[in-house]
């Protein structure tokens, strides 16, 4: 070191402060080259830690420390935590090819508009790793000023050098990709965005190229930044102030920090709040820039020895003074350094040298001061001192730029690796499918969209069962309906068994967007439609049909009826057109008085009401269809026993209800298992499934379709209030891939739910389950808020989001609503060999061509539809045009159905401002008013396009 450099360091002005801004040479995928150095850049994936147990966090932290010591040892590294924004155009691009029928472009646009409305932030964690210094001539002092900030140069990187650097980037990517960070190379446009956003704080679209050089760099980095004592002013191309920015240094940390807890000093960036003029809390957008170096054992020992020697010299010098007293801090430093060196040698302790900086921006100077005060107060509560870098703003800001270097080394720390990586810069919330439809958003420490595809299991070679759990009125059925709608738009066959009679609204939404749909009422006019002898293959019917008939009998007759019913079924199955009505007639004509008594009891039940649907004389009609679309199957008058009641106590009407339900379930199983139907995606939705789990036949249905769903391309979506009964079906539990948990109250149900979620049955998690649907004010219900466990066993809190006010209104269909659909009317066809599984409209199936999917999770929807081969049975009733409209021709471009052209800003267009972060709870009242108003809306005041407003869901 030169004498001048030593003198500068003594007065706190190192030579690093005088270096010019970095001059960029080239940007490629994962690579940033300046005149002075070359850096590799990676994006770190968000780890789902918000609901992780302490043991899980400890294991992940140990893995991170070990990986950093092995891969990043003694490398100069640069960590950046920045915020972008999810845009509607990004969403539309991501689902291209996923939807296929109806006005799917309009449906995707509706969700995209909602995403743009929310202005949802999106966190990026980027890691830069120094690869090499470049030509020494590039380090020469170059005249420049902060006003022109970043510059470009005529220097070029050679193809040979670029290839060598690219090889090193890929090697590092393989190593970091296998760690807990799941890092991957940052695209060139993201690196460009990281740089340009610091220069402009405005609308700058990143270039979409693989290698960015020359004029592109000049346009990317042109800008004007003027430093002041405690902030910077960033100007746009018109000379107007675009943003006020302040760089804060984290100058002091307590000796000990706990994690989980205050030790997570980087993860908590998204939790900082300020108070506005109205006294309300608003989110403050804070970004982080941390230059650090993980010290190897050799480097760490050398640093510790130097520190100990320095303290020793100070102690000796103080001892020679007149007072002959040594400061306690000096003696303590010597002792600590000896202990640290012992730990490094014995227990593998690793150290990190880091220099954390926080960047805060605002539109006005007054807002900036308020936000800075909020940041300082937030960390003061955790024992961490944060201060604005007075007279250091220029160097601290340049230090935060990718491609630059450490400029203010005296504002740094040396600490144990666990204290640095315990900041959990990669922690937060992340859950859901990688691609596919968005069903809501995260409500944890890192906001983001949540994607869920109910039909993705088969394409991934995974199980196919989704479960919605929780108390009534919390939003679980609405969430299941939204998942069914997305599957129907993707071309799936989606039957929904509506036992409560309140799901007709989902058919109204489907009709609004041109998806084939109908609300089908199974009534006495469909006599024999749920007859298992007519629905199932012979071998299956021989076992299932007697069970269905036995279910109809009163308990005192069942013991004597089993053998006669089985014998009559065996005889009837040999007839040309077997039916359960034929079995009953055989029983009534038997010689045995006991057998006749059984037959007469069955005949009395099936000759009236819904009993005829189960085992009445075949009418030759069926309202069940296998066409792609969304089909709501309702059974008006169906009375089911309570889950707590024993089968022996069921009344006759309850026995008929269960038998009718069994027949409908058997039809669904048979349809999903048809060989010629396996090439089509199928999503079976069964609300109130707790009514089935208490019965052997219902449990068998759930177990069967859950186990074979993957092979058949069939997915099962269940909705229940009773997780305890689900746990009693281990076959079903093993097949659950995705689970949405809403609030429950009783200890048994809460603990059962936690077991399904894979979380410990401890007080914090029990409290979470009980209060997941309680609003922040504690006085209202937070509809749609839930805990999600995805197919990768990640767990996080999620808000189910309805994409528009119009969709919310339609989902609320009631008998008094103008959107209520009338049931399908049967049409008597000419006599022909019956086929309950024939296509209603074969031409429509031909028209559904597969689309090229961009990701594996869309593959379930892109298979060639298979035409159904006619089977001997009853012809299917055509649905009316009102209920099954022809698919609407796709609209051109991205315009919505009302003809308004929607503009979507490109990705990375602008960083979000501090007052623009979406408040997850601010619009809770609007959502509740839309979904659960005090008074029913007046249909006469509704217009065809709805109110035009979109509800916020908190």
């Amino acid at each position: 070191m030169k004498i001048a450099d030593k003198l500068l360091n003594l007065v706190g002005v190192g030579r690093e402060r005088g270096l010019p801004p970095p001059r960029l040479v080239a940007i490629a995928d994962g690579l940033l080259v300046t005149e002075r150095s070359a850096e590799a850049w990676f994006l770190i994936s968000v780890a789902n830690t918000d609901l992780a147990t302490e043991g899980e966090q400890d294991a992940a932290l140990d893995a991170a420390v070990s990986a950093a010591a092995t891969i990043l040892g003694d490398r100069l590294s640069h960590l950046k935590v920045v915020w972008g924004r999810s845009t509607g155009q990004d969403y539309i691009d991501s689902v291209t090819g996923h939807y296929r029928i109806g006005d799917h472009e309009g449906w995707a646009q509706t969700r995209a508009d909602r995403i743009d409305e929310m202005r949802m932030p999106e966190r990026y964690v980027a890691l830069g790793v120094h690869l090499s210094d470049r030509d020494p001539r590039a380090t020469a002092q170059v005249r420049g000023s902060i006003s022109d900030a970043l510059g470009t140069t005529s220097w070029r990187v050679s193809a040979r050098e670029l290839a060598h650097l690219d090889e090193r980037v890929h090697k590092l990517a393989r190593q970091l990709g296998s760690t807990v960070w799941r890092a991957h190379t940052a695209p060139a446009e993201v690196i460009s965005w990281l740089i340009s956003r610091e220069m402009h704080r405005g609308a700058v679209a990143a270039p979409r190229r693989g290698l960015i050089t020359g004029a592109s760099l000049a346009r990317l980095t042109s800008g004007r930044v003027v430093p002041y004592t405690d902030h910077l002013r960033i100007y746009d191309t018109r000379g107007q102030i675009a943003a006020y920015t302040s760089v804060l240094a984290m100058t002091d940390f307590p000796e000990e920090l706990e994690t989980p807890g205050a030790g997570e000093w980087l993860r908590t960036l998204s939790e900082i709040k300020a108070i506005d003029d109205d006294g309300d809390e608003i989110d403050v957008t804070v970004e982080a820039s941390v230059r650090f170096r993980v010290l190897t054992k050799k480097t760490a020992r050398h640093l510790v020895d130097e520190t100990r020697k320095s303290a020793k010299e100070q102690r000796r010098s103080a001892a020679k003074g007149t007072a002959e007293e040594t400061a306690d801090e000096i003696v303590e430093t010597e002792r600590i350094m000896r202990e640290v060196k012992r730990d490094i040698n014995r227990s593998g302790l690793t150290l990190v040298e880091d220099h954390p900086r926080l960047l805060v921006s605002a539109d006005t100077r007054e807002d900036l001061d308020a936000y800075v005060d909020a940041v300082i107060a937030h960390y003061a509560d955790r024992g961490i001192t944060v201060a604005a870098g007075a007279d250091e703003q220029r160097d601290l800001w340049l230090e935060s730029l990718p491609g630059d270097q450490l400029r203010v080394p005296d504002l740094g720390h040396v600490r144990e690796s666990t204290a640095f990586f315990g900041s959990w810069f990669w922690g937060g919330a992340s859950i859901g499918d990688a691609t596919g439809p968005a069903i809501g958003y995260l409500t944890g420490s890192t906001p983001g969209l949540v994607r869920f595809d109910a039909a993705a299991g088969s394409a991934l070679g995974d199980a196919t069962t989704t479960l919605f759990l929780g108390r009534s009125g919390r939003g679980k059925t609405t969430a299941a309906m939204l998942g069914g709608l997305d599957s129907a738009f993707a071309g799936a066959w989606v039957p929904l068994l509506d036992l409560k009679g309140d799901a007709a609204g989902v058919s109204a939404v489907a009709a609004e967007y041109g998806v084939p749909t109908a609300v089908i009422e199974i009534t006495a006019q469909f006599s024999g439609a749920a007859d298992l002898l007519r629905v199932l293959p012979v071998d299956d019917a021989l076992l299932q049909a007697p069970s269905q008939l036995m279910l109809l009998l009163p308990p005192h007759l069942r013991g004597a009826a089993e053998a006669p019913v089985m014998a009559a079924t065996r005889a009837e199955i040999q007839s040309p057109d077997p039916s359960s009505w034929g079995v009953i007639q055989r029983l009534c004509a038997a010689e045995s008085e006991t057998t006749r008594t059984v037959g007469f009891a069955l005949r009395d039940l099936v000759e009236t009401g819904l009993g005829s649907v189960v085992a009445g004389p075949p009418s030759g009609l069926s309202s069940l269809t296998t066409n792609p679309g969304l089909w709501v199957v309702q059974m008006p008058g169906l009375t089911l026993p309570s889950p707590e009641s024993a089968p022996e106590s069921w009344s006759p009407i309850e026995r008929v209800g269960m038998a009718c339900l069994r027949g409908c379930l058997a039809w669904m199983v048979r349809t999903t298992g048809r060989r010629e139907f396996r090439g089509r995606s199928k999503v079976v939705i069964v609300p109130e499934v707790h009514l089935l789990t208490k019965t052997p036949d219902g449990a068998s249905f759930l177990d069967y379709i859950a186990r074979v769903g993957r092979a058949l391309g069939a997915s099962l979506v269940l909705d229940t209030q009773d997780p305890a009964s689900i746990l009693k079906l281990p076959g079903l539990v093993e097949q659950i891939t995705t689970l949405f948990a809403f609030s429950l109250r009783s200890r048994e149900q809460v603990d059962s739910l936690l077991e399904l979620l894979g979380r410990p049955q401890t007080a914090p998690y029990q409290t979470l389950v009980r209060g997941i649907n309680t609003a922040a004010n504690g006085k209202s219900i937070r509809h749609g808020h839930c805990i999600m466990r995805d197919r990768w066993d990640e767990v996080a809190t999620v808000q189910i989001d309805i994409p528009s006010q119009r969709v919310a209104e339609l989902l609320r269909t009631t008998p008094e609503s103008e959107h209520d659909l009338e049931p399908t009317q049967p049409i008597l066809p000419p006599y022909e060999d019956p086929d309950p599984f024939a296509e209603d409209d074969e031409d429509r199936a031909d028209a559904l061509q597969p689309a090229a999917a961009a990701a594996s999770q869309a593959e379930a929807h892109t298979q060639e539809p298979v035409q159904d081969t006619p089977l001997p049975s009853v012809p299917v009733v055509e649905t009316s045009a009102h209920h099954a409209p022809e698919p609407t021709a796709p609209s051109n471009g991205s315009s919505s159905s009302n003809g308004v052209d929607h503009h979507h800003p490109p990705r990375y267009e602008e960083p979000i401002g501090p007052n623009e972060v979406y408040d997850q709870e601010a619009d809770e009242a609007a959502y509740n008013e839309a979904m659960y108003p005090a008074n029913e809306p007046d249909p006469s005041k509704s217009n065809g396009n709805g109110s035009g407003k979109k509800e916020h869901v908190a």
Side-chain angles (χ1 to χ4, degrees):
M1 180 181 293
K2 296 182 180 180
I3 295 177
D5 293 339
K6 293 183 179 180
L7 292 176
L8 289 173
N9 286 329
L10 286 175
V11 296
V13 184
R15 183 168 292 276
E16 299 89 346
R17 287 175 166 86
L19 289 175
R23 302 183 70 85
L24 305 182
V25 175
I27 298 175
D29 288 344
L31 183 63
L32 172 62
V33 183
T34 69
E35 285 184 343
R36 294 195 294 262
S37 64
E39 296 177 349
W41 278 90
F42 307 92
L43 290 178
I44 293 177
S45 301
V46 177
N48 195 47
T49 62
D50 281 359
L51 297 185
T53 65
E54 188 170 340
E56 291 170 341
Q57 288 205 28
D58 288 344
L61 181 57
D62 291 342
V65 170
S66 176
T70 304
I71 302 171
L72 301 178
D74 277 347
R75 291 179 180 269
L76 298 175
S77 303
H78 187 190
L79 178 70
K80 286 187 70 67
V81 181
V82 299
W83 296 91
R85 180 179 294 118
S86 299
T87 67
Q89 186 59 51
D90 283 342
Y91 177 72
I92 290 177
D93 294 341
S94 70
V95 296
T96 299
H98 181 81
Y99 296 132
R100 299 191 304 162
I101 67 174
D103 182 15
H104 55 84
E105 290 184 352
W107 177 249
Q109 187 68 55
T110 301
R111 176 65 72 181
D113 291 341
R114 172 65 173 153
I115 292 171
D116 283 336
E117 179 187 348
M118 288 191 295
R119 300 177 67 84
M120 184 177 296
E122 186 175 16
R123 190 181 75 170
Y124 293 85
V125 180
L127 175 65
V129 181
H130 181 80
L131 293 178
S132 63
D133 293 323
R134 301 189 72 234
D135 195 307
R137 290 176 295 171
T139 63
Q141 184 73 22
V142 179
R143 292 183 180 273
S145 68
I146 194 65
S147 60
D148 60 357
L150 299 180
T152 58
T153 176
S154 60
W155 287 38
R156 294 185 178 181
V157 57
S158 67
R160 180 178 179 182
E161 181 183 5
L162 190 63
H164 174 68
L165 293 173
D166 186 65
E167 182 180 352
R168 296 182 64 183
V169 168
H170 281 81
K171 181 179 179 181
L172 263 177
R174 289 192 297 270
Q175 292 176 310
L176 291 172
S178 61
T179 66
V180 292
W181 299 316
R182 296 175 294 156
H184 57 279
T185 54
E189 63 265 22
V190 174
I191 301 175
S192 304
W193 174 69
L194 289 173
I195 299 170
S196 65
R197 67 196 306 279
E198 301 298 341
M199 291 300 306
H200 298 270
R201 291 283 167 180
V204 177
R208 302 279 179 171
R209 304 181 187 176
L211 179 64
I212 303 170
T213 59
S216 295
L217 283 180
R219 289 190 296 270
L220 188 69
T221 59
S222 61
R224 181 167 172 250
V225 181
V226 179
Y228 287 77
T229 301
D230 59 353
H231 72 282
L232 304 112
R233 296 182 183 180
I234 301 175
Y235 291 83
D236 58 23
T237 55
R238 298 172 297 175
Q240 302 296 320
I241 297 178
Y244 295 84
T245 298
S246 183
V247 187
L248 312 178
M250 307 183 78
T251 59
D252 190 28
F253 285 82
E255 292 185 5
E256 294 183 357
L257 284 172
E258 293 185 359
T259 178
E264 301 176 69
W265 47 274
L266 280 179
R267 187 196 62 79
T268 62
L269 287 175
S270 60
E271 300 174 2
I272 300 177
K273 309 285 185 181
I275 305 298
D276 63 12
D277 295 337
D278 298 327
D280 298 325
E281 283 190 345
I282 57 173
D283 294 319
V284 178
T285 301
V286 184
E287 299 181 349
S289 171
V290 186
R291 292 191 177 270
F292 70 96
R293 180 169 60 121
V294 180
L295 306 180
T296 59
K297 284 189 175 182
K298 180 179 178 181
T299 304
R301 282 194 294 263
H302 176 73
L303 178 63
V304 169
D305 284 339
E306 290 295 317
T307 305
R308 183 178 58 82
K309 290 178 182 178
S310 176
K312 184 176 180 181
E313 291 175 1
Q314 294 180 53
R315 177 174 55 81
R316 289 177 175 176
S317 176
K320 293 178 182 179
T322 54
E324 295 187 355
E325 293 181 357
T326 303
D328 293 339
E329 291 82 358
I330 298 176
V331 176
E332 182 69 9
T333 299
E334 275 194 274
R335 183 186 65 81
I336 291 176
M337 290 303 103
R338 285 194 296 269
E339 293 179 356
V340 169
K341 185 174 182 180
R342 183 176 65 250
D343 291 340
I344 292 173
N345 293 330
R346 294 182 180 179
S347 60
L349 174 70
T350 58
L351 301 179
V352 173
E353 179 184 5
D354 63 273
H355 303 264
R357 318 287 188 237
L358 303 177
L359 288 86
V360 184
S361 292
D363 296 330
T364 67
R365 180 64 193 279
E366 292 76 14
D367 287 344
L368 178 64
D369 291 341
Y371 298 159
V372 168
D373 290 343
V375 173
I376 293 174
H378 173 83
Y379 282 102
D381 291 341
R382 289 157 176 77
I384 301 173
T385 302
V386 176
D391 298 318
E392 299 277 10
Q393 290 294 301
R394 171 193 183 276
D395 296 302
L396 290 174
W397 179 76
L398 286 172
E399 184 181 285
S400 70
L401 298 175
D404 204 86
Q405 66 180 66
L406 181 66
R407 291 174 176 267
V408 190
D410 46 312
L411 295 178
H413 311 271
V414 176
R415 62 181 110 201
E416 295 182 14
S417 293
T418 51
F420 176 74
F421 293 104
S423 66
W424 279 100
F425 53 82
W426 76 99
S430 175
I431 202 169
D433 295 331
T435 60
I439 197 171
Y441 55 86
L442 291 161
T443 59
S445 58
T446 49
L449 293 177
V450 176
R451 296 176 183 266
F452 165 65
D453 184 359
S458 295
L460 295 172
D462 197 5
T464 58
T465 299
T466 299
L467 193 59
F468 293 85
L469 287 162
R471 300 169 66 192
S472 178
R474 272 26 181 196
K476 61 183 185 299
T477 302
T478 300
M481 290 192 295
L482 287 173
L485 278 168
D486 281 316
S487 298
F489 277 105
W493 174 68
V494 185
L496 188 153
L497 186 58
D498 183 16
L499 302 181
K500 295 189 297 183
D502 61 355
V506 71
S507 184
V509 176
E512 181 92 351
Y513 286 90
V515 172
T517 185
V519 177
I520 303 166
E521 289 189 354
I522 304 298
T523 58
Q525 58 192 330
F526 295 106
S527 181
D531 185 347
L532 295 184
L533 276 177
R534 303 180 60 79
V535 170
L536 297 180
V538 173
D539 292 341
D540 291 340
L542 186 59
L543 297 175
Q544 298 292 339
S547 177
Q548 185 184 39
L549 292 175
M550 292 288 292
L551 187 62
L552 294 171
L553 289 171
H556 69 277
L557 290 178
R558 290 176 188 170
E562 183 174 356
V565 170
M566 179 62 74
T569 303
R570 287 184 179 277
E572 175 66 16
I573 214 166
Q574 304 299 322
S575 65
D577 188 16
S579 67
S580 293
W581 176 251
V583 173
I584 294 174
Q585 296 306 306
R586 292 177 183 271
L587 292 172
C588 292
E591 296 181 357
S592 169
E593 182 178 354
T594 301
T595 303
R596 290 197 303 272
T597 301
V598 170
F600 295 148
L602 289 172
R603 189 177 63 184
D604 291 341
L605 281 175
V606 304
E607 283 185 338
T608 59
L610 282 177
S612 63
V613 178
V614 178
S619 65
L621 299 179
S622 173
S623 62
L624 307 179
T625 176
T626 58
N627 282 338
L630 194 147
W631 314 104
V632 180
V633 181
Q634 293 182 328
M635 298 180 182
L638 187 68
T639 301
L640 297 176
S642 66
E644 296 77 17
S645 62
E648 294 76 14
S649 64
W650 291 351
S651 66
I653 192 172
E654 290 174 339
R655 297 199 302 270
V656 170
M658 286 304 301
C660 190
L661 182 62
R662 175 182 296 182
C664 188
L665 296 180
W667 164 73
M668 291 182 177
V669 171
R670 170 64 175 132
T671 302
T672 56
R674 290 178 56 192
R675 184 178 303 276
E676 66 276 17
F677 198 40
R678 293 185 182 182
R680 183 177 300 161
S681 177
K682 300 170 284 290
V683 179
V684 179
I685 304 177
V686 185
E688 304 299 323
V689 77
H690 51 272
L691 298 174
L692 307 183
T693 55
K694 296 296 182 70
T695 63
D697 52 310
S700 298
F701 160 75
L702 297 174
D703 183 78
Y704 169 78
I705 201 168
R707 289 179 183 273
V708 304
R710 183 190 62 80
L712 302 179
S715 300
L716 187 61
V717 177
L718 307 178
D719 158 8
T720 182
Q721 302 178 31
D722 186 9
S725 66
I726 297 294
L727 281 177
K728 297 176 182 177
L729 303 173
L732 175 61
V733 172
E734 288 296 323
Q735 306 304 318
I736 297 172
T737 57
T738 306
L739 189 149
F740 295 86
F742 298 78
S743 64
L744 290 165
R745 300 299 298 172
S746 73
R747 178 65 176 267
E748 178 189 10
Q749 298 292 4
V750 169
D751 287 349
S752 298
L753 180 54
L754 288 172
E755 184 173 345
L756 290 169
L757 287 170
R759 297 297 88 187
Q761 297 168 351
T762 56
Y765 290 101
Q766 291 167 341
T767 301
L768 174 66
V769 170
R770 290 191 177 99
I772 192 65
N773 290 123
T774 302
N777 59 15
K779 302 294 184 180
S780 59
I781 298 174
R782 191 177 181 183
H783 297 282
H785 196 228
C786 60
I787 308 168
M788 179 181 178
R789 191 203 81 188
D790 65 12
R791 65 180 71 253
W792 319 116
D793 289 331
E794 300 286 356
V795 181
T797 56
V798 169
Q799 176 65 56
I800 304 300
D801 185 64
I802 300 177
S804 74
Q805 178 71 25
R806 175 63 174 167
V807 173
E809 292 172 354
L810 292 175
L811 286 177
R812 286 191 58 257
T813 297
T814 62
E816 295 79 18
S817 172
E818 64 173 323
H819 308 298
D820 190 33
L821 299 181
E822 296 178 359
T824 301
Q825 296 299 319
I827 300 175
L828 187 62
Y831 177 80
E832 59 182 14
D833 290 337
D835 177 11
F837 307 112
E839 290 290 333
D840 284 83
D841 188 351
E842 295 182 340
D843 293 336
R844 182 182 300 144
D846 287 332
L848 301 178
Q849 297 299 324
S856 61
Q857 293 197 22
E859 290 176 2
H861 305 301
T862 58
Q863 300 173 2
E864 186 68 24
V866 178
Q867 292 292 336
D868 290 340
T869 303
L871 298 177
S873 189
V874 190
V876 178
V877 175
E878 294 285 347
T879 57
S880 66
H882 174 71
H883 300 297
E886 291 298 322
T888 305
S891 59
N892 296 325
S894 60
S895 298
S896 67
S897 58
N898 60 8
V900 179
D901 185 45
H902 298 276
H903 167 70
H904 295 282
R907 187 168 183 149
Y908 320 125
E909 181 180 62
E910 61 179 295
I912 57 177
N915 58 350
E916 296 177 340
V917 178
Y918 182 65
D919 188 343
Q920 296 166 349
E921 298 182 0
D923 298 312
E924 171 191 324
Y927 175 83
N928 289 333
E929 182 180 356
M931 287 302 296
Y932 300 91
N935 298 310
E936 294 296 331
D938 184 357
S940 64
K941 297 181 181 180
S942 301
N943 55 51
N945 296 323
S947 64
K949 298 181 180 179
K950 297 179 175 63
E951 84 293 359
H952 287 276
V953 184

